Amino acid sequence: MSDRAALLKGIRAWLVLFVICLVLSGATAFPLVHELRWTEELLTHLPAPDALTDWITRVRQGLDTADADYPFLLYGTDWLAFAHLVIAVAFYGPYRDPVRNIWVVEFGMIACAGIVPLALICGPIRGIPFWWSVIDMAFGVFGVVPLYVVRKKIKRLEAMTAVAPVPAALAT
C-alpha cells in the first residue's frame, strides 16, 4: 500500500469514527424521556454520587412533565437530533475527497470549540449545574481530537499530491 493510500485509509477511518459518534449522539436525543427513566433506574443500582442521581431525577421529572403536558417542547430535541444527523452527512465530502473538502473538518472543529462558550453562557442561564456543563464541554474537547488528527492527515495528503509548479522556461 502506498503512503498516499495509507494516509487516505487513516483519514477515512477517523472520519467514520467521528460520524458514528455524531450519529449516536444525535440518535440518543430522540428517546430522551425513556433514556432518563432507564438512567435513573440504573443509578439506583450503582454507587453514583448523590448530586448526579438528584440531577437525573430532576431532569427526568421535568421531561415527564413536558412529555405529559407540553410534548411540543420535546420537538426541539428532535430537531437537535436531526441536526446531528445532517451534520454527519456533511462529512461524506471529506470522506470522498479530503483535500477538497477540508473545510468541513475545519467547520466541525469550530463547532466543537463553540460548545465551550455555549455551555459556559447558557448553562448558568438555564440552571444547569457547572459540573454538568463540564461534561457538555467535554463533547467539544473530545470531538475536536479526531478532527484535528484528520486535518493534520489531510494537510499531509495535500502536500503529497501538490503539483510542482512548472518552471517559467518550460511554460512558454
Side-chain angles (χ1 to χ4, degrees):
M1 180 182 304
S2 71
D3 288 345
R4 185 181 187 293
L7 201 51
L8 191 57
K9 184 177 180 180
I11 289 167
R12 288 179 171 163
W14 278 103
L15 285 171
V16 166
L17 172 69
F18 183 78
V19 166
I20 288 170
C21 291
L22 194 56
V23 167
L24 288 174
S25 176
T28 60
F30 285 117
L32 280 180
V33 174
H34 301 292
E35 286 174 344
L36 263 291
R37 289 178 188 150
W38 297 331
T39 302
E40 185 180 32
E41 177 64 26
L42 178 67
L43 288 176
T44 63
H45 302 292
L46 297 175
D50 289 341
L52 177 61
T53 49
D54 292 347
W55 175 248
I56 295 299
T57 297
R58 182 166 186 233
V59 173
R60 196 256 322 136
Q61 289 170 342
L63 283 173
D64 281 348
T65 300
D67 190 36
D69 299 338
Y70 313 101
F72 53 86
L73 291 176
L74 297 177
Y75 189 54
T77 60
D78 295 339
W79 279 103
L80 169 71
F82 178 71
H84 277 77
L85 302 177
V86 169
I87 293 166
V89 170
F91 282 89
Y92 177 68
Y95 183 89
R96 206 179 90 248
D97 187 347
V99 173
R100 187 167 145 204
N101 293 296
I102 192 171
W103 69 271
V104 176
V105 174
E106 293 168 341
F107 168 80
M109 293 172 75
I110 292 166
C112 286
I115 291 171
V116 175
L118 177 82
L120 290 173
I121 294 166
C122 295
I125 291 171
R126 302 291 184 203
I128 306 297
F130 179 72
W131 58 267
W132 192 266
S133 292
V134 171
I135 292 170
D136 289 339
M137 289 184 278
F139 281 93
V141 173
F142 291 122
V144 81
V145 170
L147 295 178
Y148 177 76
V149 171
V150 166
R151 186 180 184 283
K152 283 183 68 165
K153 289 179 177 290
I154 291 173
K155 287 296 189 180
R156 285 202 338 250
L157 182 64
E158 182 180 40
M160 290 173 98
T161 57
V163 178
V166 177
L170 296 176
T172 55

